[in-house]
Short mmCIF file of all heavy atoms in Angstrom, two decimals:
data_model
loop_
_atom_site.label_atom_id
_atom_site.label_comp_id
_atom_site.label_asym_id
_atom_site.label_seq_id
_atom_site.Cartn_x
_atom_site.Cartn_y
_atom_site.Cartn_z
N GLY I 1 0.62 -12.09 -4.03
CA GLY I 1 0.46 -10.69 -3.53
C GLY I 1 1.30 -9.72 -4.41
O GLY I 1 1.87 -10.12 -5.36
N VAL I 2 1.31 -8.51 -3.97
CA VAL I 2 2.13 -7.51 -4.62
C VAL I 2 2.83 -6.52 -3.68
O VAL I 2 2.58 -6.57 -2.52
CB VAL I 2 1.10 -6.59 -5.49
CG1 VAL I 2 0.56 -7.28 -6.64
CG2 VAL I 2 -0.03 -6.01 -4.61
N ARG I 3 3.88 -5.91 -4.18
CA ARG I 3 4.76 -5.06 -3.36
C ARG I 3 4.67 -3.64 -3.79
O ARG I 3 4.61 -3.26 -4.99
CB ARG I 3 6.18 -5.47 -3.49
CG ARG I 3 7.14 -4.61 -2.69
CD ARG I 3 8.54 -5.35 -2.45
NE ARG I 3 9.37 -5.46 -3.57
CZ ARG I 3 10.30 -4.51 -3.86
NH1 ARG I 3 10.40 -3.49 -3.13
NH2 ARG I 3 11.06 -4.75 -4.87
N HIS I 4 4.58 -2.70 -2.72
CA HIS I 4 4.45 -1.33 -2.95
C HIS I 4 5.82 -0.69 -2.79
O HIS I 4 6.54 -0.84 -1.75
CB HIS I 4 3.51 -0.71 -2.01
CG HIS I 4 3.52 0.84 -2.01
ND1 HIS I 4 4.31 1.64 -1.09
CD2 HIS I 4 2.75 1.77 -2.73
CE1 HIS I 4 4.06 2.83 -1.32
NE2 HIS I 4 3.23 3.04 -2.28
N ASP I 5 6.25 0.20 -3.69
CA ASP I 5 7.51 0.90 -3.60
C ASP I 5 7.50 2.33 -4.02
O ASP I 5 8.62 2.98 -3.99
CB ASP I 5 8.59 0.12 -4.38
CG ASP I 5 10.07 0.41 -3.85
OD1 ASP I 5 10.23 0.29 -2.69
OD2 ASP I 5 10.92 0.78 -4.69
N SER I 6 6.44 2.96 -4.34
CA SER I 6 6.37 4.37 -4.66
C SER I 6 4.94 4.84 -4.65
O SER I 6 4.02 3.99 -4.82
CB SER I 6 7.09 4.62 -5.98
OG SER I 6 6.28 4.15 -7.14
N GLY I 7 4.77 6.14 -4.46
CA GLY I 7 3.44 6.72 -4.43
C GLY I 7 2.78 6.63 -3.10
O GLY I 7 3.26 5.95 -2.22
N ASP I 8 1.61 7.12 -3.02
CA ASP I 8 0.87 7.11 -1.72
C ASP I 8 0.42 5.66 -1.44
O ASP I 8 -0.27 4.98 -2.22
CB ASP I 8 -0.44 7.91 -1.89
CG ASP I 8 -1.19 7.98 -0.54
OD1 ASP I 8 -1.94 7.00 -0.21
OD2 ASP I 8 -1.07 8.98 0.16
N PRO I 9 0.87 5.09 -0.25
CA PRO I 9 0.59 3.70 0.02
C PRO I 9 -0.82 3.37 0.25
O PRO I 9 -1.36 2.30 -0.01
CB PRO I 9 1.49 3.34 1.27
CG PRO I 9 1.52 4.74 1.98
CD PRO I 9 1.68 5.74 0.76
N TYR I 10 -1.60 4.32 0.82
CA TYR I 10 -3.04 4.13 1.07
C TYR I 10 -3.82 4.06 -0.30
O TYR I 10 -4.66 3.20 -0.36
CB TYR I 10 -3.51 5.22 2.05
CG TYR I 10 -2.94 5.10 3.41
CD1 TYR I 10 -1.82 5.96 3.68
CD2 TYR I 10 -3.41 4.25 4.37
CE1 TYR I 10 -1.22 5.87 4.92
CE2 TYR I 10 -2.85 4.35 5.67
CZ TYR I 10 -1.76 5.03 5.86
OH TYR I 10 -1.13 5.04 7.13
N GLU I 11 -3.59 5.00 -1.13
CA GLU I 11 -4.25 4.95 -2.33
C GLU I 11 -3.91 3.75 -3.11
O GLU I 11 -4.79 3.15 -3.81
CB GLU I 11 -3.84 6.24 -3.16
CG GLU I 11 -4.42 7.50 -2.65
CD GLU I 11 -3.97 8.70 -3.41
OE1 GLU I 11 -3.40 8.50 -4.56
OE2 GLU I 11 -4.16 9.88 -3.06
N TRP I 12 -2.66 3.36 -3.10
CA TRP I 12 -2.19 2.13 -3.82
C TRP I 12 -2.92 0.96 -3.27
O TRP I 12 -3.35 0.18 -4.02
CB TRP I 12 -0.64 2.00 -3.68
CG TRP I 12 -0.11 0.76 -4.23
CD1 TRP I 12 0.29 0.53 -5.50
CD2 TRP I 12 0.08 -0.46 -3.44
NE1 TRP I 12 0.84 -0.76 -5.53
CE2 TRP I 12 0.71 -1.48 -4.40
CE3 TRP I 12 -0.05 -0.83 -2.13
CZ2 TRP I 12 1.08 -2.67 -3.97
CZ3 TRP I 12 0.31 -2.09 -1.73
CH2 TRP I 12 0.88 -3.03 -2.62
N GLY I 13 -2.96 0.74 -1.91
CA GLY I 13 -3.53 -0.37 -1.36
C GLY I 13 -5.05 -0.52 -1.69
O GLY I 13 -5.49 -1.57 -1.99
N GLU I 14 -5.80 0.67 -1.68
CA GLU I 14 -7.17 0.61 -2.04
C GLU I 14 -7.33 0.27 -3.39
O GLU I 14 -8.23 -0.51 -3.81
CB GLU I 14 -7.82 1.96 -1.77
CG GLU I 14 -7.92 2.22 -0.24
CD GLU I 14 -8.83 1.38 0.51
OE1 GLU I 14 -9.57 0.52 -0.10
OE2 GLU I 14 -9.07 1.38 1.81
N LYS I 15 -6.51 0.76 -4.30
CA LYS I 15 -6.49 0.40 -5.73
C LYS I 15 -6.30 -1.16 -5.97
O LYS I 15 -7.06 -1.75 -6.73
CB LYS I 15 -5.41 1.21 -6.50
CG LYS I 15 -5.51 1.06 -7.99
CD LYS I 15 -4.42 1.93 -8.61
CE LYS I 15 -4.68 3.37 -8.57
NZ LYS I 15 -3.78 4.12 -9.31
N ILE I 16 -5.33 -1.69 -5.21
CA ILE I 16 -5.06 -3.10 -5.43
C ILE I 16 -6.20 -3.93 -4.87
O ILE I 16 -6.66 -5.00 -5.51
CB ILE I 16 -3.76 -3.52 -4.74
CG1 ILE I 16 -2.53 -2.84 -5.28
CG2 ILE I 16 -3.56 -4.96 -4.83
CD1 ILE I 16 -2.27 -2.99 -6.75
N ILE I 17 -6.80 -3.57 -3.72
CA ILE I 17 -8.00 -4.33 -3.12
C ILE I 17 -9.09 -4.28 -4.22
O ILE I 17 -9.73 -5.31 -4.43
CB ILE I 17 -8.26 -3.62 -1.77
CG1 ILE I 17 -7.23 -4.07 -0.79
CG2 ILE I 17 -9.62 -4.10 -1.40
CD1 ILE I 17 -7.34 -3.38 0.50
N ALA I 18 -9.38 -3.03 -4.74
CA ALA I 18 -10.49 -2.97 -5.67
C ALA I 18 -10.16 -3.86 -6.91
O ALA I 18 -11.10 -4.43 -7.48
CB ALA I 18 -10.61 -1.55 -6.16
N HIS I 19 -8.93 -3.96 -7.26
CA HIS I 19 -8.62 -4.81 -8.43
C HIS I 19 -8.83 -6.27 -8.14
O HIS I 19 -9.42 -7.00 -8.97
CB HIS I 19 -7.13 -4.66 -8.83
CG HIS I 19 -6.72 -5.23 -10.05
ND1 HIS I 19 -7.00 -4.77 -11.32
CD2 HIS I 19 -5.92 -6.37 -10.40
CE1 HIS I 19 -6.50 -5.52 -12.18
NE2 HIS I 19 -5.95 -6.49 -11.70
N TYR I 20 -8.49 -6.75 -6.90
CA TYR I 20 -8.79 -8.12 -6.48
C TYR I 20 -10.38 -8.35 -6.58
O TYR I 20 -10.83 -9.39 -7.03
CB TYR I 20 -8.28 -8.41 -5.11
CG TYR I 20 -6.80 -8.60 -5.15
CD1 TYR I 20 -5.93 -8.00 -4.19
CD2 TYR I 20 -6.14 -9.61 -6.04
CE1 TYR I 20 -4.55 -8.21 -4.15
CE2 TYR I 20 -4.83 -9.78 -6.03
CZ TYR I 20 -4.01 -9.12 -5.18
OH TYR I 20 -2.61 -9.33 -5.13
N LYS I 21 -11.09 -7.38 -5.99
CA LYS I 21 -12.50 -7.61 -5.94
C LYS I 21 -13.16 -7.66 -7.35
O LYS I 21 -14.09 -8.30 -7.56
CB LYS I 21 -13.15 -6.51 -4.99
CG LYS I 21 -12.82 -6.57 -3.68
CD LYS I 21 -13.43 -5.42 -2.92
CE LYS I 21 -13.26 -5.53 -1.44
NZ LYS I 21 -13.80 -4.46 -0.58
N LYS I 22 -12.58 -6.89 -8.26
CA LYS I 22 -13.12 -6.92 -9.60
C LYS I 22 -13.14 -8.32 -10.28
O LYS I 22 -13.96 -8.61 -10.97
CB LYS I 22 -12.21 -5.97 -10.56
CG LYS I 22 -12.70 -5.81 -11.98
CD LYS I 22 -11.91 -4.88 -12.73
CE LYS I 22 -10.43 -5.43 -13.09
NZ LYS I 22 -9.74 -4.51 -14.08
N TYR I 23 -12.06 -9.07 -9.76
CA TYR I 23 -11.97 -10.46 -10.32
C TYR I 23 -12.57 -11.46 -9.34
O TYR I 23 -12.34 -12.80 -9.51
CB TYR I 23 -10.45 -10.77 -10.61
CG TYR I 23 -10.05 -10.12 -11.88
CD1 TYR I 23 -8.96 -9.07 -11.74
CD2 TYR I 23 -10.39 -10.44 -13.14
CE1 TYR I 23 -8.48 -8.50 -12.84
CE2 TYR I 23 -9.98 -9.88 -14.27
CZ TYR I 23 -9.04 -8.80 -14.17
OH TYR I 23 -8.53 -8.26 -15.26
N GLY I 24 -13.27 -11.04 -8.35
CA GLY I 24 -14.07 -11.88 -7.44
C GLY I 24 -13.05 -12.67 -6.56
O GLY I 24 -13.35 -13.71 -6.00
N VAL I 25 -11.88 -12.05 -6.23
CA VAL I 25 -10.91 -12.63 -5.40
C VAL I 25 -11.12 -11.90 -3.96
O VAL I 25 -11.09 -10.64 -3.89
CB VAL I 25 -9.55 -12.45 -5.89
CG1 VAL I 25 -8.47 -12.93 -4.88
CG2 VAL I 25 -9.38 -13.21 -7.13
N ASP I 26 -11.09 -12.68 -2.92
CA ASP I 26 -11.07 -12.11 -1.57
C ASP I 26 -9.71 -11.42 -1.23
O ASP I 26 -8.80 -12.25 -1.20
CB ASP I 26 -11.43 -13.19 -0.59
CG ASP I 26 -11.63 -12.62 0.88
OD1 ASP I 26 -11.31 -11.44 1.09
OD2 ASP I 26 -12.04 -13.33 1.70
N PRO I 27 -9.58 -10.20 -1.07
CA PRO I 27 -8.31 -9.60 -0.76
C PRO I 27 -7.65 -10.10 0.47
O PRO I 27 -6.38 -9.91 0.64
CB PRO I 27 -8.67 -8.07 -0.65
CG PRO I 27 -9.93 -7.90 -1.40
CD PRO I 27 -10.63 -9.15 -1.18
N ARG I 28 -8.48 -10.62 1.36
CA ARG I 28 -7.86 -11.26 2.69
C ARG I 28 -7.10 -12.42 2.48
O ARG I 28 -6.38 -12.88 3.19
CB ARG I 28 -9.07 -11.48 3.63
CG ARG I 28 -9.72 -10.23 4.06
CD ARG I 28 -10.86 -10.49 4.94
NE ARG I 28 -11.96 -11.19 4.13
CZ ARG I 28 -13.14 -11.55 4.60
NH1 ARG I 28 -13.40 -11.38 5.94
NH2 ARG I 28 -13.92 -12.15 3.87
N THR I 29 -7.13 -13.00 1.21
CA THR I 29 -6.26 -14.22 0.83
C THR I 29 -5.04 -13.75 0.08
O THR I 29 -4.19 -14.59 -0.21
CB THR I 29 -7.01 -15.06 -0.08
OG1 THR I 29 -7.23 -14.45 -1.36
CG2 THR I 29 -8.41 -15.52 0.46
N LYS I 30 -4.92 -12.39 -0.18
CA LYS I 30 -3.64 -11.88 -0.81
C LYS I 30 -2.81 -11.00 0.16
O LYS I 30 -3.32 -10.48 1.08
CB LYS I 30 -4.10 -11.10 -2.01
CG LYS I 30 -4.87 -12.02 -3.10
CD LYS I 30 -3.87 -13.03 -3.68
CE LYS I 30 -4.61 -13.84 -4.73
NZ LYS I 30 -3.68 -14.86 -5.47
N LEU I 31 -1.53 -10.84 -0.31
CA LEU I 31 -0.66 -10.11 0.54
C LEU I 31 -0.27 -8.68 0.02
O LEU I 31 -0.16 -8.56 -1.29
CB LEU I 31 0.69 -10.87 0.72
CG LEU I 31 1.94 -10.02 1.44
CD1 LEU I 31 1.60 -9.98 2.87
CD2 LEU I 31 3.21 -10.86 1.13
N LEU I 32 -0.38 -7.59 0.67
CA LEU I 32 0.13 -6.36 0.32
C LEU I 32 1.50 -6.23 1.13
O LEU I 32 1.45 -6.25 2.40
CB LEU I 32 -0.74 -5.24 0.72
CG LEU I 32 -2.14 -5.25 0.05
CD1 LEU I 32 -2.85 -3.83 0.31
CD2 LEU I 32 -2.00 -5.45 -1.46
N LEU I 33 2.55 -6.10 0.34
CA LEU I 33 3.86 -5.96 1.07
C LEU I 33 4.38 -4.52 0.73
O LEU I 33 4.58 -3.97 -0.37
CB LEU I 33 4.96 -6.86 0.45
CG LEU I 33 6.46 -6.72 0.83
CD1 LEU I 33 6.53 -6.90 2.39
CD2 LEU I 33 7.22 -7.69 0.11
N PHE I 34 4.50 -3.71 1.90
CA PHE I 34 4.99 -2.29 1.72
C PHE I 34 6.48 -2.18 1.99
O PHE I 34 6.94 -2.77 2.99
CB PHE I 34 4.27 -1.48 2.74
CG PHE I 34 2.72 -1.37 2.49
CD1 PHE I 34 1.74 -2.24 3.12
CD2 PHE I 34 2.13 -0.47 1.65
CE1 PHE I 34 0.53 -2.14 2.83
CE2 PHE I 34 0.81 -0.32 1.37
CZ PHE I 34 -0.03 -1.27 1.92
N SER I 35 7.15 -1.39 1.13
CA SER I 35 8.70 -1.42 1.26
C SER I 35 9.19 0.01 0.89
O SER I 35 10.41 0.12 0.52
CB SER I 35 9.23 -2.50 0.31
OG SER I 35 9.03 -2.22 -0.97
N ASP I 36 8.38 1.12 0.90
CA ASP I 36 8.87 2.35 0.42
C ASP I 36 9.26 3.26 1.61
O ASP I 36 8.35 3.94 2.18
CB ASP I 36 7.78 2.92 -0.44
CG ASP I 36 8.20 4.38 -0.98
OD1 ASP I 36 9.42 4.58 -1.06
OD2 ASP I 36 7.30 5.12 -1.24
N SER I 37 10.49 3.38 1.87
CA SER I 37 11.07 4.34 2.87
C SER I 37 10.24 4.29 4.15
O SER I 37 9.88 5.39 4.70
CB SER I 37 10.99 5.72 2.23
OG SER I 37 11.72 5.79 1.05
N LEU I 38 10.18 3.17 4.67
CA LEU I 38 9.28 2.98 5.89
C LEU I 38 10.05 3.18 7.08
O LEU I 38 11.27 2.79 7.34
CB LEU I 38 8.61 1.63 5.94
CG LEU I 38 7.67 1.27 4.76
CD1 LEU I 38 7.24 -0.18 4.90
CD2 LEU I 38 6.43 2.18 4.96
N ASP I 39 9.40 3.75 8.20
CA ASP I 39 9.80 3.49 9.53
C ASP I 39 8.83 2.77 10.33
O ASP I 39 7.76 2.49 9.68
CB ASP I 39 10.22 4.89 10.22
CG ASP I 39 8.99 5.93 10.19
OD1 ASP I 39 7.87 5.37 10.33
OD2 ASP I 39 9.21 7.03 10.16
N PHE I 40 9.02 2.49 11.61
CA PHE I 40 7.98 1.73 12.28
C PHE I 40 6.71 2.37 12.59
O PHE I 40 5.60 1.76 12.60
CB PHE I 40 8.64 1.15 13.59
CG PHE I 40 9.77 0.08 13.41
CD1 PHE I 40 10.42 -0.32 14.53
CD2 PHE I 40 10.02 -0.44 12.24
CE1 PHE I 40 11.44 -1.27 14.42
CE2 PHE I 40 10.94 -1.43 12.04
CZ PHE I 40 11.77 -1.82 13.15
N ASP I 41 6.68 3.65 12.76
CA ASP I 41 5.44 4.46 12.89
C ASP I 41 4.56 4.29 11.68
O ASP I 41 3.34 4.13 11.73
CB ASP I 41 5.72 5.85 13.39
CG ASP I 41 6.28 5.96 14.68
OD1 ASP I 41 6.08 5.12 15.58
OD2 ASP I 41 6.95 7.03 14.96
N LYS I 42 5.22 4.62 10.54
CA LYS I 42 4.34 4.49 9.23
C LYS I 42 3.90 3.07 9.04
O LYS I 42 2.72 2.92 8.61
CB LYS I 42 5.35 4.90 8.07
CG LYS I 42 5.74 6.30 8.02
CD LYS I 42 6.64 6.55 6.83
CE LYS I 42 7.18 7.96 6.81
NZ LYS I 42 8.10 8.22 5.68
N ALA I 43 4.72 2.11 9.37
CA ALA I 43 4.26 0.70 9.06
C ALA I 43 3.16 0.38 10.13
O ALA I 43 2.17 -0.29 9.61
CB ALA I 43 5.53 -0.27 9.38
N GLN I 44 3.20 0.80 11.27
CA GLN I 44 2.11 0.58 12.25
C GLN I 44 0.87 1.13 11.69
O GLN I 44 -0.19 0.43 11.86
CB GLN I 44 2.40 1.00 13.67
CG GLN I 44 1.40 0.64 14.68
CD GLN I 44 1.17 -0.82 15.04
OE1 GLN I 44 2.17 -1.56 14.79
NE2 GLN I 44 0.10 -1.21 15.38
N LYS I 45 0.81 2.33 11.28
CA LYS I 45 -0.44 2.94 10.79
C LYS I 45 -1.02 2.25 9.55
O LYS I 45 -2.20 2.04 9.42
CB LYS I 45 -0.11 4.47 10.40
CG LYS I 45 0.11 5.32 11.66
CD LYS I 45 0.47 6.73 11.28
CE LYS I 45 0.88 7.64 12.49
NZ LYS I 45 1.24 8.94 12.06
N LEU I 46 -0.07 1.82 8.59
CA LEU I 46 -0.44 1.10 7.52
C LEU I 46 -1.11 -0.21 7.93
O LEU I 46 -2.16 -0.74 7.44
CB LEU I 46 0.66 0.88 6.52
CG LEU I 46 1.04 2.08 5.70
CD1 LEU I 46 2.44 1.83 5.06
CD2 LEU I 46 0.11 2.39 4.61
#
C-alpha cells in the first residue's frame, strides 16, 4: 500500500486507485494509509 501525508486526500486516493487499475490490480487488495493532520471526523469521512 501507500501513505498519504500532504495535499487533498480525496484527489490523492482517487489518483492512487486509478494507478492500481492501470496495472490491472484490484485496489481492494491494497491499503491507503492516511496520516496528514487528521482528527476523527476527517478520518471517518475518508
Side-chain angles (χ1 to χ4, degrees):
V2 290
R3 177 161 74 92
H4 171 266
D5 200 52
S6 66
D8 184 280
Y10 295 93
E11 292 179 8
W12 174 88
E14 292 292 353
K15 185 179 293 187
I16 298 298
I17 287 170
H19 189 76
Y20 283 133
K21 289 180 177 178
K22 181 177 77 172
Y23 287 113
V25 174
D26 184 349
R28 292 172 297 180
T29 67
K30 297 293 184 177
L31 176 70
L32 299 189
L33 175 61
F34 295 90
S35 63
D36 180 26
S37 304
L38 293 172
D39 59 32
F40 288 173
D41 289 337
K42 290 178 184 177
Q44 183 65 30
K45 290 176 182 176
L46 285 165

